[in-house]
Every structure is written in C-alpha cells, then in structure tokens.
Amino acid sequence: MFDFLIQGFGVALTPLNLGLAFLGALLGTLFGALPGIGPINGIAILMPLAYTLGLPAESALILLAGIYTGSEYGGRMSSILLNVPGDAGAVMTTLDGHPLAKKGLAGPALGLSAVSSFIGATVAIIGLTLFAPLLAIVAVKFGPAEFFALMIFAFASMSAMMGKDPLKTLIGAVLGVLISTVGVDSGTGVLRFTFDMPELYDGIDFVVMIIGLFAVSEILLMLEHAFRHDQDGEMAPIGRVMVKMSEVLYCKWAILRSSVIGFVIGVLPGTGASVASAVAYTTEKRISDHDNSFGTGNMRGLAAPEAANNASAAGSFVPMLTLGIPGSGTTAILLGALMLYNINPGPMMFREQPVVVGGLIASLYIGNVMLLLLNLPLAGVFARVLQVPRWLLVPSVAILAFVGVYQLHSDLMAIYLMLVIGVFGYLLRKFGFSLAPVVLGFVLGGLMEENLRRALSISGGDAGILFQSSLSIGLWIAAALVVLVPMFAGKLKAKFLPAAKAS
C-alpha cells in the first residue's frame, strides 16, 4: 500500500491532476450546497464530459472523486444556514447546525463543520490506505440478514433522538417507512399506495421527498413568520465568523468517535452517509448529551454527523476498489466510470492498475486539504446568507427547490408531489414533529425491506436466517441494549435519585 501511495502522489501532484482535484473540490462544494443536486447528479453530469475530453482514467477518477468528497463538504451549508439538507447525509446536520445559526453562530458552525469534515475524511483515508484489503474481507461477510440487522440497529439508535416525546419520533419514523413503500413491489409486482397514478409506480424520488419536506416547509414557515409579524423579519445575526480552537478541542472526542463509526459503516456496501451520520449522531447524543442540549445548538451535535458522513464517503471506496462492489450510490456511478475505461475494480486492481489506485488515494489526501483551505476562509462569506431579507430569500429558496426537482424529472407531477409533501412537512413541524425521523424512516425503510426479502428468499421463508450468523446476533443484541439500557437507567434514576437527594 505504501508503494502504491508513493507512486500515487507522483501521479496526483502533476499540474493537470492538481488542477482537476481543485476543480472537483470546488464544483463538488457548489453541487453539495444546492439542495437537490448532490454528488450523484454532479458526477452523472460531468462523467460523460470527462470521458469525451479524453482524460486518462486516473485523471477522470480524480476529478469525479473530488466532486464526491466536495459535495459532502458542501451539503452542510444549506443545512446550517437554511435548514434545508443538501443531500441525505446532511439531514442530521440540520438538528444542531441550524439552531446554532439562529443563535448568531453561523460562521463558527460552518467552520467547525469544515474541520470535522476534514478530520473525518482524513481518518477514513488513512483507514483506506492501511486496511482496505482486510476491511473488504469483513464487508463480504455482510449478507442480507446482517444488513437487515444493521437497519434494525439504526432504527433502535434513532430512539436516542426521541427526547421528551418518543411517540412523535416513532410516528415520524413509521410515516417515513410507509412513504418508502409507495410504488410497485419489486418482489410481487403489486401496486402499493399508487392510487392508480402511473407517476407513482416508481415510488417517490428521494430528491422530491427531501426538497418538499425541508425546503417547501421552510418556505411556508418563512412566509407565516413574515405575515404574522407584517415585516421582512430580522434574519439571525452573524456574530463572529471563525471557529475557536477551544470549540474544536471541546468536540475532539466526538469527532474521532464519529470518524471511526462513519468509516466502518461506509465500508459496508449499500449503507451510505445517511446511515453513518444517523448512527454517529445518536451515539454521541447518548454519550455527551448530559444537559439535553442536543437539537438546540450543541457543537458536538453538529461535529458528529459531519465527521461521520465525510468518513463514510471515503470508506465507501474500500468495497469499490477491493471487491468491485459500490459502497454507495455515488461510488456505483464511479464504478461505471472505471468500466468506461475498461478497468474492472476488484482484488486484482491493486496489482494491475497501481497508477489508478495510487493516484486516486493520493488525490483524496490532497483534495481534503484543498477543501479545508477552501471552506474555512469562506465561512464568513457563506454566513452572510442569513442577512438576506426574507422578500429575497424566500423566492430564492423556492426557485432552487423547483429547479432542483424539475431538472431531474422534467415532469410537472414531480412539482405537484413536492408541494404536497411540503405542506405535509409544514403541518408536521407545526404539530411539533421532527422531520429527521421521517427522512431516516424513508431512507432506511427501503433498504430494510429489500434485505429482509433477500434473506427470506435465500432461506425459503425461514426467519431463522436472521439470527444465524454471529454478526447478526451481535447487531440484534446491540439494538436491544440501545433501547433497554436507557429505559432501565431512567427507571433506576427515578427510583433512587429522590432518596439520594433527601439523604
């Protein structure tokens, strides 16, 4: 691996590849910041262009990988400033990032998220360098039953976000799972909740869901605030624009823990940044939230998901390079880019294509430094978005929402569906529901159903397959502990704490 890395830096440090790494980082940040575009669409747009321009395989991959990692950085901007996630991995960032912005700490929040993203990605890239073949062997052991158990663990971890109203969180998660079932059942061909509308046969697209649920509902809340106060309304004050070293040190263990969690989950094919950030956030909430400040603007609550989703992005390269299995939807497109150049990812790739592998891994180190240097100085500039008057901000967010959905589908039905989901999200927020459980239920519900079906088809309908392997049993036990330990701890605390105070 070190031989590949030395050779890779020789490739990545050429003027052409340095320029492409910077271009990928810049474009990726912009794609990630615009809700509805994200890394998948950005790479899909530029991949044919890179191939048409005749770029070598390693140069094309450096450009596209830069867009991928840059998008993970960029997704935090709209999450923190506008409460609109740039992509699925940034959903958890809204929980503490936007409250920090409303307190006048938009600049420090952007700066801390950039540092957290840098550390998370660096930890994952080092892991990719050192442990790729070993981790690939472990990842292969995850079959459908193990992935189903992992989804159960993710749902159990969601209980950490329940806060004072677990019922509303549970209802939100169930609503998300129900929405994920809309469309044609891939196993039986039965139509589910389509109401005889052909446009719903393919289900509800994630971009339509996320923009409707967050962007449109946020627009409605902005309009309600403007009408209620009969004015443009004062946006959140900017305050200071740079993050302090003391704030970074305050979050250091949260960042390191979440980086490891994100990398390990990223190595597992089919999980992605949304699962990594959710598990990291809920884990950190259990460890650090002693004063119930998570969700109200806690620095650790922002740092944890940001470190995890960037670590997950780098970790998803492990199964792609070593097994030829995409670790996420974005690496599936990168896999297609390699095949355009007649390169077959897999165990032999490190021997047959050392220039490509080494150049890619080295470019991840370089691109990560570029992204930090690009994002830290601009934190104050981006934070100025909060001072845009509502009469300009509301239509701007609306235009981004409509364009983001229409450019993907070119269909008015998608626009109508986005508006319906937006009104639904607005009503949920008015009744005190958090949107994060709804989105996580929507994302994880499809994965959970798909892996459950696969496991049962392998076993001929025997549910015992879900508890056969040691990995599955370990995940089931972990899920049970995540739910039961806080429950019993709360009862013991309620029983013994008054007596201790009295004595």
Side-chain angles (χ1 to χ4, degrees), residues 49-308:
L49 180 63
Y51 184 72
T52 306
L53 290 174
L55 293 176
E58 61 274 14
S59 299
L61 205 59
I62 285 170
L63 171 65
L64 300 178
I67 292 172
Y68 182 20
T69 52
S71 294
E72 298 299 331
Y73 270 77
R76 77 193 200 287
M77 293 179 193
S78 56
S79 298
I80 292 171
L81 299 176
L82 302 173
N83 199 32
V84 180
D87 55 28
V91 170
M92 307 306 295
T93 304
T94 62
L95 297 180
D96 284 280
H98 191 61
L100 281 169
K102 292 169 87 173
K103 293 177 180 178
L105 297 174
L110 288 168
L112 177 63
S113 66
V115 173
S116 304
S117 299
F118 172 76
I119 295 172
T122 301
V123 168
I125 297 166
I126 292 171
L128 169 63
T129 307
L130 298 177
F131 307 118
L134 178 64
L135 289 167
I137 294 170
V138 176
V140 171
K141 296 184 182 297
F142 267 76
E146 287 76 19
F147 275 115
F148 177 75
L150 179 65
M151 296 302 111
I152 294 294
F153 175 73
F155 272 110
S157 298
M158 198 187 299
S159 63
M161 291 191 300
M162 289 181 177
K164 297 178 181 177
D165 202 337
L167 181 61
K168 286 185 177 179
T169 303
L170 180 62
I171 292 172
V174 171
L175 286 172
V177 173
L178 283 173
I179 295 170
S180 74
T181 63
V182 172
V184 178
D185 183 349
S186 58
T188 62
V190 173
L191 297 176
R192 302 187 296 191
F193 308 113
T194 57
F195 306 103
D196 295 324
M197 299 172 66
E199 294 86 357
L200 293 178
Y201 287 1
D202 290 331
I204 296 176
D205 184 78
F206 177 78
V207 172
V208 175
M209 176 74 174
I210 203 80
I211 292 182
L213 205 58
F214 282 90
V216 175
S217 67
E218 189 70 24
I219 290 167
L220 293 174
L221 286 173
M222 287 181 184
L223 289 173
E224 180 193 17
H225 179 84
F227 283 125
R228 180 175 294 175
H229 294 84
D230 195 26
Q231 58 181 356
D232 274 347
E234 288 292 323
M235 299 302 287
I238 292 297
R240 58 187 172 88
V241 297
M242 292 303 292
V243 64
K244 296 177 180 177
M245 181 56 69
S246 60
E247 291 168 336
V248 176
L249 293 176
Y250 170 74
C251 301
K252 61 181 182 298
W253 295 118
I255 294 171
L256 291 174
R257 276 191 293 265
S258 301
S259 300
V260 174
I261 290 171
F263 177 58
V264 172
I265 291 178
V267 169
L268 303 175
T271 48
S274 55
V275 178
S277 59
V279 172
Y281 182 87
T282 53
T283 301
E284 195 56 39
K285 181 174 170 64
R286 289 191 179 281
I287 295 171
S288 304
D289 191 16
H290 306 301
D291 55 355
N292 292 321
S293 62
F294 271 53
T296 62
N298 188 299
M299 289 283 190
R300 288 173 177 163
L302 170 64
E306 280 299 299

Side-chain angles (χ1 to χ4, degrees), residues 9 79 83 96 121 132 136 244 324 336 347 353 355 379 431 434 439 448 456 460 502:
F9 273 106
S79 298
N83 199 32
D96 284 280
K244 296 177 180 177
Q353 302 289 343
V355 172
F431 284 103
S434 171
V439 176
M448 187 169 70
L456 293 177

Side-chain angles (χ1 to χ4, degrees), residues 16-36:
L16 171 64
N17 290 335
L18 274 176
L20 289 172
F22 179 77
L23 179 63
L26 180 62
L27 291 176
T29 301
L30 294 175
F31 288 149
L34 296 173

